[in-house]
Amino acid sequence: MENKRYSVGKMMEEWGAGKAQTLTFVVTNDCNLRCKYCYVTHKEKGKIMSLQTAKKFIDLVLMDEERRKCEAVILDFIGGEPLLEAQLIEQICDYFKIRTYELKCSWYWNYRINITTNGVNYNDNAVQRLIKKNSGKIYIGITLDGTQRKHDLQRVFPDGSGSYSIIEKNISLWMKQFEASTKVTFASEDLKYLKESIIHLWNMGIKNVSANVVYENVWKEDDDIIFEKQLKNLAEYIIENDLYNKYYCSLFLDYIGMPYTDEEKNNTSCGAGKMLSVSPEGNIYPCMRFYDYSLNKKRGYVIGNVEEGIDYEKVRVFQLAMYKYQCDDECLNCPVAKGCEFCQGFSYDESESGTNFFKTKYICKMHKARVRANNYYFAELFHKKGIRRENFIWKKDLLFLLNDKYESGCSYYNNQSKKNKVMEKETILEGLKYAEKNFLHPIFIHGKEDTGYLLDDYEEIEIMHLIPIELYLKGYHFWEYQIIVEFKNIKLCEKITEQDSIIFNISEKNINELFLCVEYLLKKSKRINVNIQNMSKEFDIQIYEKELKKCAEKIIEIYQITGVLKEINILTDVMFINNHESCGAGDKQYTLAPNGKLYICPAFYSEGLKSCGNMKEGIHIRDERLYKEQYMPLCNKCKAYQCENCKYINKIYTNEINVSPSFQCKKANIEKNIAALLRQALNLEKIQNVKTNSIVDPIEYYKKNY
């Protein structure tokens, strides 16, 4: 716990990210290597860009007011092998500087030159003159694929011989001139060398390694297993040798493995169309992957030329390039979609109709293997070093009911005093494998009398433990846990230290003591998750409202004295979320019961309702769509986003999973209205505004409008 930072898993900052216009010059179609995985499949000698073509392209862009709105520009030079034409690159850069100075363009100061090279001729005089002349404004990255046997397997000369030994000679000079960063590409044949290759590059002094697998359809059966194993082995090496805050590898990123948000569906994986690429012939492309030399099935996607300008009717397509239009339902609804990138140019080439609104899926299994390995890495980092993953929230859970007498962590009250089936360890292990495979966050729900399953011996998995306070006081602590406190046992909290969060269960018959309990618990916790259990038609809304107002006043009082905003889920959650994060049963949450079967939620198991599947055959829910928010008609009309909306209560009282009884809706809207007054009193910019609502039961909307 001595250093709670990590760089392996953090995205490197790029110069001008999101602010810079990229201009790509394909200065030559020729290359001195014939890398086997290269996407440039049509290399051609003698096809070299003329200086005149480059000048026309620069003038064209500089006259484009829309393009010049960008704060900065990146001059990106590629090939083939771009440094075969180092002198030409020097001349192009000279012209750019002269023209931006003449036009008093801000790009004169705000530009960078970027070149990616294979490094074969890095020490040539022309290359070194280019570097010296543009010092401070140029970055050159050399592609070195790892160990010699890995590198020479793919990056070969035309005669088939490996290039490692020649490139290695230039590495020391390169590292003196630039902060060393390289890109490594893996295909099926070289996956088995992944771990040793990344370590080899780090040991050479190359701290920043961007790595990826190829997008093409090259993957064989079990390649994903090899990939995952290599990544997990690398993760163990990183942690064992305390390298997690010293190096960077893009195969580990802390944000991947979540579904797309609605906002993220408006993005796409690359900047095609926002960048511009010009070929030796003077044709302009949305990026160089749309150029003929990298396409195998389609003709190049030309959006203009240096003589006639850019056809903005064709650019319109790329302004609409978003996941929600390019992906099918499978990808859009994938539980681990985030981080699964794709190349628009390659997808265009692979599409049957020649459309840009298409995404290939060849790396699907490889991405999922990477996500599982990332989850393993960050779980190990947390358990062994106390370093928690940032930028990640689990979107789906699997609850493990360790025995029949589990302590409920929601509004359902478990009163199964006669049954006491205990989950066997084999079932736990099988459940953890099922959770890993399906990207579910395991949550262990303990009972007061747990005995055999309390040891935190699952270090490779990120597990949340919900434990009764009685168990906590016996000394059973875990890396990640929440204490559950019942109304009748609240005084036991005297014996605990301050917690980040406490789950507090209170029945509706004791609701008149809610404030006193909350007041007491706020001394012991930064946040309280209140569950009102045994709710019924007799729930006293008036008493509840009075108690909530006193709770709100207490939050204000604490904030005014200490400057600390204490949280109570039923009052403050609505200030931080803008959509329903209610009961996820059957949609974002499933339950593994002691009998080894899967259920919608703990209540469905404990009350003897039908199972929804098992770990061998998976989850199969009838009318699954009804468990999703968009198919809940009352919720669609309601802004009480903090509402629990218990699906078990729904089923018992209305006979429908997706329709809440009136008392549940009224409870939620009273909470929201008091939260609005609380928000107004706090007047904090960091929390969103909440408006009061005169209608507390959303069914009234339908009565008025239909």
Side-chain angles (χ1 to χ4, degrees):
M1 296 205 183
E2 73 285 352
N3 195 336
K4 296 194 174 187
R5 298 182 296 112
Y6 57 84
S7 54
V8 179
K10 288 270 191 194
M11 180 67 81
M12 285 193 308
E13 287 189 20
E14 297 181 3
W15 186 87
K19 299 179 181 180
Q21 170 69 59
T22 299
L23 304 178
T24 300
F25 299 79
V26 183
V27 290
T28 178
N29 282 15
D30 193 15
C31 186
N32 43 18
L33 296 184
R34 293 296 182 268
C35 303
K36 296 175 184 178
Y37 53 52
C38 184
Y39 55 78
V40 180
T41 53
H42 303 296
K43 297 179 178 69
E44 191 174 349
K45 288 186 177 181
K47 189 170 280 190
I48 302 168
M49 181 176 291
S50 69
L51 178 59
Q52 194 63 28
T53 295
K55 286 180 176 181
K56 288 180 179 180
F57 180 59
I58 290 170
D59 288 339
L60 179 68
V61 175
L62 289 177
M63 293 299 107
D64 190 329
E65 292 185 4
E66 276 302 308
R67 297 286 171 180
R68 286 177 57 180
K69 286 181 181 178
C70 293
E71 296 178 14
V73 64
I74 297 172
L75 305 178
D76 188 33
F77 295 94
I78 63 170
E81 168 49 46
L83 291 186
L84 291 175
E85 301 299 328
Q87 186 175 357
L88 173 62
I89 295 173
E90 181 185 347
Q91 293 171 332
I92 294 171
C93 293
D94 287 347
Y95 183 78
F96 170 83
K97 285 179 275 187
I98 292 168
R99 289 296 290 145
T100 51
Y101 178 79
E102 291 174 344
L103 296 170
K104 297 180 179 172
C105 176
S106 62
W107 289 356
Y108 177 74
W109 296 273
N110 298 324
Y111 74 92
R112 288 291 187 277
I113 301 163
N114 185 66
I115 303 171
T116 299
T117 174
N118 57 37
V120 171
N121 64 331
Y122 184 80
N123 64 352
D124 285 2
N125 290 334
V127 174
Q128 291 304 306
R129 185 176 66 247
L130 173 67
I131 295 170
K132 186 177 181 180
K133 189 173 183 178
N134 294 281
S135 179
K137 290 290 188 178
I138 190 171
Y139 181 79
I140 296 181
I142 292 180
T143 301
L144 192 67
D145 255 9
T147 61
Q148 183 166 3
R149 64 177 174 179
K150 191 289 189 206
H151 182 98
D152 286 349
L153 193 63
Q154 299 284 0
R155 303 186 69 80
V156 297
F157 287 102
D159 63 2
S161 61
S163 60
Y164 181 90
S165 58
I166 293 177
I167 297 167
E168 186 188 26
K169 295 176 183 177
N170 297 326
I171 294 297
S172 58
L173 174 61
W174 171 61
M175 291 178 64
K176 289 177 183 176
Q177 295 174 324
F178 299 102
E179 182 180 351
S181 175
T182 193
K183 183 177 180 181
V184 182
T185 301
F186 291 94
S188 179
E189 296 78 12
D190 51 42
L191 278 175
K192 58 187 176 183
Y193 304 127
L194 188 151
K195 175 190 173 184
E196 65 180 45
S197 291
I198 302 296
I199 295 171
H200 176 76
L201 293 169
W202 287 342
N203 289 338
M204 290 180 72
I206 304 173
K207 292 184 176 182
N208 299 318
V209 178
S210 293
N212 66 279
V213 297
V214 299
Y215 297 117
E216 286 79 6
N217 187 19
V218 301
W219 303 111
K220 302 173 184 174
E221 189 177 358
D222 295 335
D223 274 351
D224 56 327
I225 298 172
I226 298 170
F227 186 40
E228 183 177 346
K229 186 177 180 180
Q230 283 288 309
L231 283 176
K232 286 182 175 179
N233 289 342
L234 177 59
E236 291 169 356
Y237 179 87
I238 291 168
I239 295 169
E240 288 170 5
N241 293 277
D242 291 330
L243 304 179
Y244 48 84
N245 60 359
K246 296 179 181 178
Y247 298 110
Y248 169 80
C249 176
S250 62
L251 291 172
F252 296 106
L253 290 174
D254 55 9
Y255 67 86
I256 71 165
M258 294 188 290
Y260 293 136
T261 63
D262 288 341
E263 184 179 357
E264 287 165 345
K265 289 177 183 178
N266 293 324
N267 301 328
T268 192
S269 63
C270 73
K274 300 179 182 69
M275 61 179 75
L276 294 175
S277 180
V278 61
S279 70
E281 303 92 338
N283 288 327
I284 299 171
Y285 299 85
C287 100
M288 48 80 62
R289 285 300 301 266
F290 286 88
Y291 178 30
D292 303 72
Y293 79 161
S294 64
L295 299 177
N296 296 302
K297 301 176 182 180
K298 304 290 186 303
R299 296 182 64 182
Y301 198 117
V302 179
I303 60 172
N305 60 72
V306 296
E307 300 293 343
E308 299 175 4
I310 297 170
D311 185 347
Y312 283 98
E313 298 301 326
K314 291 182 179 177
V315 175
R316 285 167 63 88
V317 170
F318 296 92
Q319 294 172 331
L320 298 170
M322 307 173 190
Y323 291 129
K324 63 183 180 183
Y325 301 133
Q326 294 176 304
C327 299
D328 61 15
D329 288 343
E330 180 187 16
C331 290
L332 285 176
N333 298 321
C334 176
V336 293
K338 200 167 178 178
C340 182
E341 309 298 1
F342 70 102
C343 172
Q344 293 189 57
F346 176 63
S347 293
Y348 159 76
D349 196 26
E350 288 290 297
S351 67
E352 291 184 4
S353 62
T355 178
N356 195 49
F357 296 103
F358 177 73
K359 177 187 177 182
T360 57
K361 299 184 182 182
Y362 300 134
I363 66 166
C364 179
K365 71 175 185 178
M366 305 302 287
H367 172 67
K368 290 178 178 177
R370 179 189 174 201
V371 171
R372 289 192 293 270
N374 269 253
N375 290 342
Y376 175 87
Y377 167 66
F378 285 106
E380 288 273 284
L381 192 63
F382 180 51
H383 285 118
K384 293 183 177 179
K385 301 296 178 178
I387 302 173
R388 189 182 297 275
R389 171 165 44 174
E390 302 173 9
N391 307 314
F392 185 88
I393 300 173
W394 287 94
K395 296 297 184 179
K396 293 198 175 189
D397 302 321
L398 182 63
L399 308 182
F400 288 66
L401 305 182
L402 297 183
N403 61 55
D404 285 334
K405 295 183 179 180
Y406 63 89
E407 192 75 23
S408 177
C410 66
S411 59
Y412 171 73
Y413 177 69
N414 179 31
N415 192 29
Q416 303 299 321
S417 57
K418 295 181 180 179
K419 297 165 49 179
N420 194 26
K421 185 174 179 61
V422 176
M423 185 177 289
E424 296 178 357
K425 192 154 188 174
E426 291 75 12
T427 304
I428 294 176
L429 294 173
E430 188 181 355
L432 289 173
K433 289 180 181 177
Y434 181 84
E436 181 186 34
K437 182 181 178 182
N438 293 279
F439 310 104
L440 302 170
H441 184 202
I443 299 177
F444 282 15
I445 304 181
H446 298 259
K448 296 184 178 88
E449 301 174 2
D450 279 345
T451 54
Y453 307 102
L454 296 172
L455 296 176
D456 193 13
D457 57 355
Y458 308 106
E459 290 188 347
E460 73 278 8
I461 301 174
E462 189 177 328
I463 302 173
M464 167 64 80
H465 296 265
L466 304 186
I467 58 175
I469 190 169
E470 296 89 339
L471 215 58
Y472 179 87
L473 293 174
K474 289 180 181 178
Y476 295 112
H477 300 173
F478 304 92
W479 277 101
E480 192 172 13
Y481 68 91
Q482 277 188 287
I483 295 173
I484 303 173
V485 179
E486 291 183 292
F487 170 78
K488 64 182 179 181
N489 294 327
I490 192 169
K491 291 299 181 182
L492 291 176
C493 290
E494 293 177 1
K495 303 176 182 179
I496 67 173
T497 57
E498 185 177 356
Q499 302 290 306
D500 288 334
S501 180
I502 287 176
I503 298 171
F504 175 56
N505 295 336
I506 185 171
S507 68
E508 68 171 11
K509 70 177 182 180
N510 301 120
I511 203 65
N512 60 317
E513 297 189 59
L514 177 64
F515 168 68
L516 291 175
C517 294
V518 166
E519 183 181 38
Y520 176 72
L521 290 172
L522 286 175
K523 299 174 183 177
K524 291 291 185 177
S525 181
K526 300 173 185 175
R527 174 182 169 88
I528 305 169
N529 291 321
V530 177
N531 294 318
I532 300 174
Q533 298 183 321
N534 286 340
M535 278 191 67
S536 69
K537 296 176 182 178
E538 284 70 47
F539 183 67
D540 197 320
I541 294 292
Q542 284 74 35
I543 293 177
Y544 185 58
E545 186 173 13
K546 291 178 182 177
E547 292 293 303
L548 276 185
K549 286 180 179 178
K550 290 190 282 186
C551 291
E553 290 167 0
K554 190 65 184 179
I555 292 175
I556 296 168
E557 179 188 331
I558 294 172
Y559 180 75
Q560 289 174 340
I561 296 172
T562 66
V564 175
L565 176 60
K566 297 259 184 169
E567 294 182 30
I568 307 174
N569 61 324
I570 50 181
L571 286 178
T572 57
D573 279 7
V574 74
M575 301 176 187
F576 296 97
I577 56 178
N578 54 18
N579 53 44
H580 286 282
E581 294 193 0
S582 54
C583 174
D587 178 27
K588 300 175 182 178
Q589 189 180 89
Y590 310 97
T591 295
L592 177 62
N595 61 10
K597 295 180 180 180
L598 296 165
Y599 292 82
I600 300 298
C601 73
F604 275 58
Y605 164 68
S606 298
E607 297 297 330
L609 299 178
K610 191 175 180 180
S611 163
C612 65
N614 56 66
M615 291 179 285
K616 184 178 180 179
E617 299 174 351
I619 295 169
H620 302 283
I621 301 174
R622 291 183 179 178
D623 296 320
E624 186 177 10
R625 63 186 178 89
L626 300 180
Y627 291 80
K628 303 180 185 297
E629 182 191 327
Q630 60 263 42
Y631 294 101
M632 297 179 181
L634 293 177
C635 297
N636 285 334
K637 298 290 181 180
C638 183
K639 298 283 191 267
Y641 297 142
Q642 83 294 338
C643 175
E644 185 174 11
N645 188 26
C646 173
K647 292 186 173 70
Y648 175 71
I649 290 177
N650 293 354
K651 183 66 177 176
I652 294 301
Y653 284 95
T654 72
N655 199 45
E656 294 288 353
I657 286 287
N658 63 332
V659 179
S660 295
S662 62
F663 60 84
Q664 192 163 241
C665 290
K666 289 175 182 177
K667 170 184 175 291
N669 275 286
I670 285 170
E671 291 166 353
K672 186 204 146 206
N673 284 343
I674 296 174
L677 300 175
L678 173 61
R679 167 65 177 87
Q680 188 177 3
L682 292 170
N683 194 28
L684 292 173
E685 292 184 2
K686 66 180 180 181
I687 55 179
Q688 68 181 12
N689 193 26
V690 184
K691 297 180 180 179
T692 56
N693 181 13
S694 59
I695 298 175
V696 294
D697 187 352
I699 197 74
E700 298 296 325
Y701 287 109
Y702 288 92
K703 289 180 180 179
K704 286 186 175 184
N705 296 309
Y706 298 98

